[in-house]
Amino acid sequence: MVVAGIDVGSKMAKVVIMDGDRNILSYVMARTGTDHGKTSEEVLNEALEKAGLKREDLEKIVATGFGKISVPFADDEVTQVIAAGKGAYFVRPSARTVIEVGAEESRAISLDENGNVKDFALADKCAAGAGSFVDAMIRYLEVTPEEFGQLALKATRAIPMNAQCVVFAESEVVSLLHSNVPKAEISRAIHDAIADRVIAIARRLDIRDDVLLIGGLANDIGFIESMKRELGKDVYVPEDYPPELVPAIGAALSAVQGVR
Amino acid sequence: MGVKVRPFECWDDFKKYRMEYYRNYLEAKENGSIRWAGSAWAFDPVPAGLGEDVYPLTGEPYGATAAFFRDFSMRALETIERKGAARDLCGYMRNYWGSVAMDKYLLADGAEIEPFPKPDFNFTIHICCTHAKWYHYAAELEGGVPTYAVDISVGPGYLLNDKKIEYVVRQLEDAIQWMEKVTGREYDDELLIRAVENEARSMTLWSKICKLNQNTPAPMEEKSMFSFYVMTLLRRSDEKIVKLYEKLYKEVESRVKRGIGALTQEQFRFVTDNPPPWPFLKVYRYLEENYGAVSVGSIYTFGLGAAWLGMDEKGENWIWEPAPTPEEAGYEIHDRRSALWWTAMFNLKYRASWQHEYSHWIRKQETYQMVKDWKADAIIMHLNRGCELWNMSTLEVRDYLVRNGVSVATYEGNMADPREFDEARTFNVIDSFMQSLGIEKLT
Ligand code: SF4
């Protein structure tokens, strides 16, 4: 049996092809673009090709993510919370708290020892604690995403960012730049501010070890460090797969369960 | 086989009363009658002593009706914001102010009438930081309307004593003299006594009706309850409201006996907490249609209009049992003082929504006990940006419930500002919550 999980996020579309024994046969990640239906079709075909399979080989396709409704060929859909929870348990069975920071959304999920979702909290309608905010800041600082994360580690002092809102935060960054504050310190300030907001959501739950960080921002070393500092505990990221792939893995796992 | 469902027979009576209520207020001056406006929590029996032709307009239900008619609400909110009102103020109040500022009055069916009918006086209470200020500013917008606010912040009911009751009674005595002065009418104590008795009867009747929803299948879903409970907030001291509740009580009782439910398939029972997002009651419909999930009540619908024993004397447990009427308590109301004493005591002690403002603990016990008594599978909480008072301690309550094994979902919104609700996100929360509990969608 072979299934596919597809996660259409606001920035990236991800596909995972999985067999009945829960082995990942291939995966693909690509920019979502404007035509979600077309992109999901393309990433699915690419993932099938990588696995040496054809569309007819798939027994079930489960979609998740904000664009899940625009995947016309999906047999079923699963909410992002469930998908992220299942995927997180798969990549790190000891995870009890999952924090996902996507391009436009962040969420925290509490898992029980069997990987079931016990509780969850979603961010409100604000981009200040999400990846697209970071994208905007990277543009302001004129650095690459990798440099942005590394820069934060070089900061020698913490500067608090007061603005709660992304619009004001942007102007705060601009004024820091004009005051010749080193980019390293600005980078750390931004990372700390996002961590602060994300943790505020997670604190609605009981934050238990292990804390697993997933979503695009989990690739950012500066953010991981800020999270560790603000939470006062270790934070893990998936080791074998990109952190943004986790919900697609969860969707594929749902598909396997559904077929069984 | 599914559960039998049937529309409420007394539905039209309630609807008719609501239509008449807003129209009576509108037309009062044509017949030389008196109009007063104030919070739905104000001591409603007190102005009743001014005569049988005294018509109130309570602000919160008016604000909720305005919110329900989204287009009207948007115009009202924008109008008052242009005058400088901040968006984080009470949503009901902003709708009300906006309506006055636009000089447009809304009837229960959404019809808009010009101009806004000015009250002869405003009479309100002050427990929420908003209530007194609401009518002070409304009075200004109305070009100067006499306004009186009663301070009731004397602490929770289980710690009530004679001194505290006396503090409120004196203000009510003073209010009566003030009302005589501003209206030029002589006050009738007999009317007051009747109104005080009616208030207690209508509120305890609503408690008894709420209790019937502990049955499975639930005879009422919360959307219907919204139309029923509001009578206690319009004019609970009116004899007609007592009659309406007597009729409803009989009907709900008979539904329970005959196994008539609110939903054909009750797969899941939940309770809610805060005022709902009035412009988006489809949240309830979504839960019903997709998951066979019925809301059997809320701290809001039960807490505002009904009278409950509430916190026990030690302040340890919450008791969801109807409070006694003067008759049941063996209390004789024979003059103005005894009438005012009863209404002050009754509201301060038994009005659930006047208790939990004083402590997280009370709200926690109140909510936890409600989940248990109404046999709910979960609570769905509205993180409501429209009401500071009701939203106070919501997240602490959530935490407490989760720690005590209650399943909780939260969604964000605003009871009375349609601009602050995200439909897709809310449905996403609901789907995630249901999936996490293993509740399948109905096919
Ligand atoms: S803030 Fe809440 S309690 Fe206060 S007046 Fe408004 S609705 Fe009522």
Side-chain angles (χ1 to χ4, degrees), chain B residues 60 90 92 128 130-131 134 387-390 415:
Chain B
E60 298 92 319
C90 166
Y92 289 159
C128 156
T130 297
H131 282 131
W134 174 329
C387 168
E388 274 186 36
L389 195 69
W390 275 84
M415 66 195 180

